[in-house]
Amino acid sequence: MTGEDDGVRWLAPDELAAWMSLAALMFKLPGALDYQLQRDSGLTHFEYLVMAGLSESPDRSRRMSELAGFANGSLSRLSHVVKRLEKRGFVVRRPDVEDGRITVAELTDAGWEQVVAAAPGHVAAVREYVIDALTPEQLAQLKEIGDAIHRKVDPGRSC
């Protein structure tokens, strides 16, 4: 940005180009996935992630704090979403059997049916927008790149 030695490590042209490409992807891909899910299933991408996280868990349930981490959302955001999913009959909340101070979210049978019905369209969109756009080598590189960035952004969490 400036020619002065101001101590800032400005981005070189190739670094700026890579960053701009990633930034555009971070804005466009979530919107495309969200649009597909809302259009086909009436779910937001975050709602789908929450329900998928529950569907993959033993007994289709998880502690709210664990579920927030899985879905990459705050507990506050998760609470609002789970409340909406409860109103639709997809999720119920209950105290944890081991520690009643902890709240557990559980996927209902209707929620299971909803996530099972939504999954094929979501997977097709992921395949169209990401998987099929890359060679097998690029896909392996994408995983390595994503893991490396994830470790920097969230060092305490495994990729």
Side-chain angles (χ1 to χ4, degrees), residues 110-132:
W112 171 259
E113 290 172 14
Q114 180 71 16
V115 79
V116 166
H122 177 64
V123 170
V126 168
R127 179 165 293 289
E128 177 185 354
Y129 298 136
V130 180
I131 306 302
D132 291 346

Side-chain angles (χ1 to χ4, degrees), residues 127-148:
R127 179 165 293 289
E128 177 185 354
Y129 298 136
V130 180
I131 306 302
D132 291 346
L134 304 173
T135 66
E137 294 79 20
Q138 289 172 321
L139 194 60
Q141 291 170 345
L142 179 62
K143 180 178 182 331
E144 288 179 34
I145 292 165
D147 288 350

